[in-house]
Amino acid sequence: MIVCDAQDELAVSGVWDEREFRLHGPAPAAIVPRLTGPMPFTPATPEHELPIHLFVRLDGGCVYVGVVQPGGCEWTEDELVQCELWIEPPLSSEVLERVRPRSEPPVLPGLDWLQYVNADRVKALELFVTGWYPATEAPRPASEVSVPVPRALAEFYRLACERPAILGCQNRILPQPERSAGSDGEHTFIGVENQGGFHWSVLWSPDSAESDPAVWLTVDRRSQPRAERESLSGFLLQFSLHEAAMSAPYWATIDRMPRSLVTELRSMLRPVPLKPFLSPVSPMNFLVAPGLVAHIHDRGNDEVSVWISAVHRSALTPLGELDLPWRSFAG
């Protein structure tokens, strides 16, 4: 039996949404096999088949949520770190409001940066990054970059000194660019996809007349490079929007929906006036609101998929009024 408080905090055990309960450790290692099943090479015992019941403390008593099924768990040799448990059947909206009361919304990152996207993308990047990411380190001189880089990338590295998270959690901007000669000249590789499937580079030198060069995407470093549709300053803003979305704690997703329904999202979100990001491999466009980033992927056949992320649940909540085929919704 699991008993928790009615609350809505990221790092505290509680009901996450109508389908999921998040259990945070530490908890004794003896609990791990109860949640994950028997360890490898050990026999199952009758207790592994027993149901796990979930209760939430409320109004001087407890609300019975139901039986939960363990999902993904993380543990060490000594203790449980965290575990996702699935609630079946899903909770009604009325019960969810009781067992997961909404926390007070913070001041959300604003959209001041959006007005500079067409005029000064380096400034737009700085305003977005400093609004979205809190500074985690005391200001210090920028790390010396081993090769010359264009202004936009130099500014990005400067911002990363206080906010190293902007280098990426899904894909990565390299802390140190790498030079590599090719048939069309010497490329400076600046970023890599999370599984090494493709790399980004610029073809640039300090004596070049081009201050904002094209960004080239190369699959496996063997195929012919293909250009991103935005030059470096726009690419770095797109990269930052995508990584902010991938690292945000609250998500709403749609696997497939008719492209015509994007109009519904545009009624509440503002488009970022840039050409599609990752256009050579998986084109996507961005929509934003305070504290929220959405990316829309072209799936072909006049369909799109949608990934929306937010720094706080309250930024997603208004979207719940839209009649869209949500796969998940944490608002």
Side-chain angles (χ1 to χ4, degrees), residues 33 49 86 97 150 170 196 230 244 247 251 264 286 299 303 319:
E49 304 300 323
W86 307 116
E97 287 292 330
Q170 174 78 2
E230 291 290 348
S247 62
W251 302 342
E264 297 291 314
F286 295 98
R299 300 294 298 265
E303 288 186 323
L319 300 180

Side-chain angles (χ1 to χ4, degrees), residues 231-297:
S231 58
L232 180 61
S233 60
F235 163 82
L236 289 172
L237 178 56
Q238 292 174 317
F239 177 90
S240 298
L241 288 166
H242 184 256
E243 294 305 307
M246 298 307 296
S247 62
Y250 299 96
W251 302 342
T253 61
I254 300 172
D255 284 340
R256 288 182 179 272
M257 76 174 189
R259 187 186 306 278
S260 59
L261 292 182
V262 174
T263 303
E264 297 291 314
L265 289 173
R266 286 176 178 260
S267 70
M268 292 190 173
L269 309 179
R270 294 178 61 180
V272 178
L274 293 168
K275 300 180 182 71
F277 178 52
L278 285 177
S279 55
V281 290
S282 180
M284 69 179 76
N285 292 288
F286 295 98
L287 303 173
V288 292
L292 180 152
V293 176
H295 43 97
I296 315 296
H297 294 255

Side-chain angles (χ1 to χ4, degrees), residues 69-184:
Q69 300 294 332
C73 291
E74 179 184 350
W75 68 91
T76 67
E77 290 185 1
D78 298 319
E79 61 188 26
L80 177 77
V81 178
Q82 63 180 13
C83 190
E84 299 169 355
L85 298 109
W86 307 116
I87 302 169
E88 188 61 41
L91 302 177
S92 67
S93 57
E94 292 79 10
V95 172
L96 181 61
E97 287 292 330
R98 294 183 66 206
V99 299
R100 192 207 62 191
R102 297 177 185 274
S103 59
E104 190 68 24
V107 176
L108 299 173
L111 298 180
D112 291 349
W113 59 273
L114 200 56
Q115 64 183 303
Y116 294 100
V117 172
N118 287 325
D120 186 345
R121 288 177 179 171
V122 173
K123 184 174 181 64
L125 172 66
E126 179 178 15
L127 290 175
F128 172 74
V129 164
T130 55
W132 190 276
Y133 296 94
T136 57
E137 300 183 15
R140 68 179 193 272
S143 301
E144 176 117 10
V145 178
S146 59
V147 299
V149 294
R151 171 177 172 254
L153 187 55
E155 287 296 301
F156 186 89
Y157 284 134
R158 180 185 66 80
L159 292 167
C161 288
E162 294 182 33
R163 297 167 170 83
I166 72 172
L167 292 171
C169 70
Q170 174 78 2
N171 305 319
R172 295 279 293 172
I173 295 295
L174 300 177
Q176 286 289 340
E178 302 172 1
R179 287 281 185 90
S180 180
S183 59
D184 54 349

